Amino acid sequence: MASNFAARANQALMQSSPKWRLVIWLLLMLAVSLWTLQLWQNGARVQSDILAMLPHLQQDKLTERALNQVEVTLADQVYIALVAKDETTAIAAAKLLMQKLEADLIATGRNAALTDIRSADMQLGEALGQFYFPHRFKLLTAPQAEALASPNIESLLDAATAQLYNAFSYANSNLLAQDPLLLFPANLLALAPSSNVRASQGILLANQGDNVAAVVMAKGRESAFNPNAQLAQMAALTTALDAVEKDYPDINVLKAGALFHALAATQTAKSEISILGLASLLGVIALVWLAFRSVMPLLLAIVTISSGLLLAVTFTLSVFGELHLLTLVFGTSLIGIAIDYSFHFYCERLSDSERSAQATVTYIFPTVTLAFITSALAYVGIGLAPFPGMQQVAIFCAAGLLGAYLTLILAYPLLAGSRLPAGSRPLALAGTYLANLTQLSNRLTTPLGMSMFALVILVWSLGGVTKLTVDDDIRHLQQSPSSVTEPENQLRQLLSGGTDNQFLLVRAASEEALLQQLERVSPLLDAAITNQELGNYVSLSRYLPSHQRQDTAYRLQGEIYQTQLEQVLTSLGLDENLKPELQAAYLAAKTEYITPAAFFKLEAGKRLAPLWLTPSDKATDYGAEYGADYGAIVLLGGIQQIDALKARFANDESVQLIDKVADISAVMGHYRLLTLKLLALALGIALLLFSLNFGMKKAAVVVAVPALAALLTLATLGLTGSPLSLFHALALILVFGIGIDYSLFFASAKNHGKAVMMAVFMSACSTLLAFGLLAFSQTQAIHYFGLTLSLGIGFTFLLSPLILTTKKS
């Protein structure tokens, strides 16, 4: 079937005119170029967010929305700490920084790169006081509640007396007239989480050894992973910081935020694209020149690569609407693969100089077509992984190969018509290599040779595979340089650990049930802090007591206002005429409650509103399928023992510790195993497919080459201590696709196969050059991909010529 199809296609190819084929190719390239230009004008963009490459987790709707809320809340925040020797200098420097950033905000208006510039909010305490004071009868701290439950208010009277004679207390005549035991100030102070920071003159301060750090925060208007937004945000920051350093040269600046990680990743990716791509291109050009000593093969090699890259970009933008920078880094390897078709063409021309370009294309058409199909299927296998980034790589490279294939079939018959300079040395070297390989093969085919060869392979494979370890942690995919991570770690310590990506999602059937559940969670988190499992947390329970808790506080305060009010007033020397007013105020507060709706109208409440998930919001955003569950997010910071923290809530179905990093890592592990199974399936399908064309015995030999190469690659990774990840497994799929090409060319070779040996040698060199360079990438995912492919293609190159010896036998 396969041979009949190839024969019919070959016949059609011979009958078509080289000129018409070139015209079709030119029109195709023109149409693709115009379409690509249209895509860019319609908003196609370059993406640099490493998270965009990761799989989408299958979560329930509430969890999915909680993840989105946390990402929106924490994303694009920029933290700057100005460290000075004294508090005065730190405050002055911070005020200058805020002044410069606010000046940029005013000057650029809606186009400002950074917004929400802030430090400490000095009006926050006053605003909270005004909000909570009318509800003072329903607020009690734990010590206050314990004292009133005794019932023994002597300790409260002593505390109130101490405040009366304390020059720095909140006590004044107006407060005493409405809160004689001065209970409210302690409740107001309890709203502020305990931390190492303090406020002075509107600036957030923290001690760093003998120095003082002033912290300024801002939020990027656009995503930090947008390259244009990165440049705008860094420009605004750089201008403001330059002004600060000019006036305060001794200031040390600490930076933290996704912006600086994204910027480092973008710079690394751009650097690698230019360096690796240029090195790969120059290597291919040098290889072509050394082999053929002619300008035309060089020009056609560049045309082949360019057409492949053009189709790669066009298809990717058409499908995804954006192009990830890491896709371009992966895509530099396309240079080394797309050029293979050109190598096979010119090596055949070199072996038979009397054959025309059209006849050469017709001669290699069946093998090249089968090789293209298998390579494209290998990329399709990579695209089956649930990684948007790897799906992009699959589309990019498969489309690039299509561009190179069409260039060979349509453009080469006319453009490559010129004769090559006489030069038999490359073919002679290929022939010598094959002769030596044949001698080695003859020795291996003896009983002793086969036993030794099998023993070496067995020992190598078992020794390496048994030492293989796995590493699916996504944090190892992109590691920012120490110049980014060290200042961030210092700043996190200043802010008591900052906020981590993990958080708690608490759910309940009603608003009141949710508030009560949050109150049960807080003591567990306090215990975790005491046990150094956790640094800090942000929970709405601090600001929103449940109705049950408010009713309890109200009932306990009844001991004061209904039973012992006269004693309180007398003990504190207050006017007894206050009694009727205080009792009336107490009774009037009975039906008044602190509610989430009222709290979230405050400025402070608006900042915390994303932590509250209501059915009405969910129904608006996602429809009725969201159900009636309420949800609340508890932010966690300074996590030290994640497993111990998970154990605290393991038996509580209403509390879920959301760890997106761990969840995605688990998905990666699952798909790593699935990809290896897919590889085994692909080998089986290839065996059946090739048996239709070559017969079962020869097909088994063709498939055995990439299979053995994959096994030896895994063994080598184990022996070198490189942990196995999904990216290793995806690379093995590609080893299969490229390795099958080499096997097919040797299986289809006629005569002594010197031209095929030369073509495969050049192909292997170009592929090793491309992927070998990827192995030097600073991005772990790309490094793993390049290292695995380099090993796999190297083993395939060494093993595939043995097919010629099996043909003779």
Side-chain angles (χ1 to χ4, degrees), residues 247-576:
D247 290 356
Y248 304 96
D250 295 330
I251 285 285
N252 181 30
V253 180
L254 302 178
K255 305 173 186 176
L259 169 64
F260 308 106
H261 293 275
L263 188 64
T266 301
Q267 291 173 344
T268 299
K270 288 181 177 179
S271 173
E272 290 180 355
I273 289 169
S274 58
I275 295 174
L276 300 184
L278 180 61
S280 181
L281 183 61
L282 292 176
V284 168
I285 290 173
L287 200 60
V288 173
W289 176 257
L290 291 174
F292 305 117
R293 304 287 182 175
S294 174
V295 174
M296 186 52 70
L298 278 177
L299 294 177
L300 278 181
I302 294 173
V303 169
T304 304
I305 293 170
S306 300
S307 60
L309 291 175
L310 176 61
L311 257 71
V313 171
T314 304
F315 272 68
T316 305
L317 291 178
S318 299
V319 174
F320 298 98
E322 64 181 18
L323 189 61
H324 202 288
L325 276 175
L326 291 185
T327 300
L328 291 176
V329 177
F330 275 109
T332 59
S333 61
L334 180 64
I335 295 171
I337 305 173
I339 200 64
D340 289 358
Y341 302 140
S342 183
F343 288 158
H344 286 290
F345 172 85
Y346 275 108
C347 286
E348 289 296 338
R349 287 292 311 275
L350 197 64
S351 66
D352 186 356
S353 58
E354 298 301 321
R355 186 187 293 153
S356 68
Q358 183 175 0
T360 302
V361 170
T362 304
Y363 176 74
I364 66 173
F365 176 78
T367 306
V368 168
T369 300
L370 194 56
F372 164 69
I373 292 173
T374 53
S375 295
L377 287 176
Y379 281 116
V380 169
I382 291 177
L384 293 177
F387 282 63
M390 294 313 297
Q391 290 166 357
Q392 274 201 24
V393 170
I395 294 291
F396 187 92
C397 292
L401 283 181
L402 176 62
Y405 172 77
L406 292 176
T407 301
L408 173 69
I409 302 302
L410 299 177
Y412 273 50
L414 189 63
L415 295 181
S418 60
R419 290 180 177 273
L420 292 174
S424 58
R425 181 170 175 75
L427 289 173
L429 291 174
T432 301
Y433 177 79
L434 282 176
N436 293 332
L437 196 63
T438 301
Q439 292 180 5
L440 176 63
S441 178
N442 291 335
R443 294 175 184 174
L444 291 176
T445 52
T446 63
L448 178 61
M450 292 185 67
S451 299
M452 293 297 295
F453 180 73
L455 181 62
V456 170
I457 296 296
L458 183 63
V459 172
W460 190 342
S461 301
L462 287 178
V465 171
T466 54
K467 290 185 177 181
L468 265 180
T469 58
V470 297
D471 182 7
D472 300 310
D473 194 336
I474 63 168
R475 286 169 292 196
H476 297 160
L477 298 186
Q478 179 83 48
Q479 295 179 333
S480 297
S482 57
S483 59
V484 173
T485 57
E486 288 180 4
E488 180 172 270
N489 290 336
Q490 292 182 45
L491 211 158
R492 284 174 67 89
Q493 290 177 0
L494 292 176
L495 299 176
S496 301
T499 302
D500 293 324
N501 293 320
Q502 297 90 345
F503 62 91
L504 291 181
L505 174 61
V506 183
R507 63 181 77 207
S510 67
E511 186 175 275
E512 173 64 12
L514 180 59
L515 292 173
Q516 291 181 24
Q517 184 64 22
L518 284 172
E519 289 169 354
R520 287 190 287 270
V521 166
S522 292
L524 295 175
L525 293 176
D526 291 334
I529 292 175
T530 302
N531 291 342
Q532 297 184 338
E533 300 167 13
L534 182 67
N536 63 83
Y537 68 93
V538 177
S539 174
L540 289 170
S541 66
R542 190 185 300 275
Y543 305 94
L544 293 172
S546 65
H547 282 202
Q548 182 185 59
R549 184 175 171 185
Q550 292 182 60
D551 286 339
T552 301
Y554 184 81
R555 178 178 55 80
L556 289 173
Q557 290 201 50
E559 290 293 323
I560 302 172
Y561 295 100
Q562 291 183 323
T563 306
Q564 305 185 52
L565 186 55
E566 288 184 9
Q567 178 187 349
V568 169
L569 295 175
T570 302
S571 299
L572 296 175
L574 300 177
D575 189 349
E576 291 185 3

Side-chain angles (χ1 to χ4, degrees), residues 610-645:
L611 304 183
W612 185 257
L613 308 174
T614 64
S616 58
D617 291 338
K618 290 176 287 184
T620 299
D621 293 343
Y622 299 99
E625 64 178 357
Y626 228 104
D629 276 353
Y630 284 78
I633 296 165
V634 180
L635 299 178
L636 306 175
I639 297 175
Q640 301 297 324
Q641 302 178 46
I642 186 72
D643 292 334
L645 206 55

Side-chain angles (χ1 to χ4, degrees), residues 496-756:
S496 301
T499 302
D500 293 324
N501 293 320
Q502 297 90 345
F503 62 91
L504 291 181
L505 174 61
V506 183
R507 63 181 77 207
S510 67
E511 186 175 275
E512 173 64 12
L514 180 59
L515 292 173
Q516 291 181 24
Q517 184 64 22
L518 284 172
E519 289 169 354
R520 287 190 287 270
V521 166
S522 292
L524 295 175
L525 293 176
D526 291 334
I529 292 175
T530 302
N531 291 342
Q532 297 184 338
E533 300 167 13
L534 182 67
N536 63 83
Y537 68 93
V538 177
S539 174
L540 289 170
S541 66
R542 190 185 300 275
Y543 305 94
L544 293 172
S546 65
H547 282 202
Q548 182 185 59
R549 184 175 171 185
Q550 292 182 60
D551 286 339
T552 301
Y554 184 81
R555 178 178 55 80
L556 289 173
Q557 290 201 50
E559 290 293 323
I560 302 172
Y561 295 100
Q562 291 183 323
T563 306
Q564 305 185 52
L565 186 55
E566 288 184 9
Q567 178 187 349
V568 169
L569 295 175
T570 302
S571 299
L572 296 175
L574 300 177
D575 189 349
E576 291 185 3
N577 293 328
L578 293 173
K579 181 179 177 180
E581 292 183 18
L582 286 169
Q583 288 180 330
Y586 172 79
L587 293 173
K590 183 175 183 179
T591 58
E592 299 295 324
Y593 289 93
I594 300 168
T595 63
F599 175 73
F600 292 135
K601 292 178 181 179
L602 295 176
E603 191 61 35
K606 290 177 182 178
R607 293 186 184 275
L608 296 171
L611 304 183
W612 185 257
L613 308 174
T614 64
S616 58
D617 291 338
K618 290 176 287 184
T620 299
D621 293 343
Y622 299 99
E625 64 178 357
Y626 228 104
D629 276 353
Y630 284 78
I633 296 165
V634 180
L635 299 178
L636 306 175
I639 297 175
Q640 301 297 324
Q641 302 178 46
I642 186 72
D643 292 334
L645 206 55
K646 286 181 179 179
R648 290 184 179 274
F649 305 101
N651 299 322
D652 192 341
E653 294 182 356
S654 63
V655 182
Q656 182 182 2
L657 197 154
I658 306 296
D659 187 352
K660 188 176 181 179
V661 171
D663 292 341
I664 294 178
S665 297
V667 170
M668 288 184 66
H670 169 73
Y671 280 98
R672 170 178 46 78
L673 292 173
L674 187 62
T675 302
L676 292 176
K677 293 177 182 177
L678 179 66
L679 175 61
L681 178 63
L683 290 169
I685 293 174
L687 179 62
L688 294 176
L689 180 64
F690 297 152
S691 65
L692 299 176
N693 198 34
F694 298 118
M696 184 57 72
K697 180 180 177 181
K698 191 173 181 180
V701 175
V702 170
V703 173
V705 168
L708 189 56
L711 180 62
L712 292 175
T713 299
L714 287 174
T716 305
L717 291 173
L719 292 172
T720 56
S722 179
L724 187 64
S725 71
L726 175 61
F727 291 95
H728 291 94
L730 293 174
L732 288 176
I733 292 285
L734 201 50
V735 167
F736 160 73
I738 299 174
I740 282 291
D741 287 0
Y742 296 172
S743 298
L744 284 173
F745 280 114
F746 278 112
S748 305
K750 299 178 180 179
N751 302 322
H752 298 290
K754 289 188 290 185
V756 173

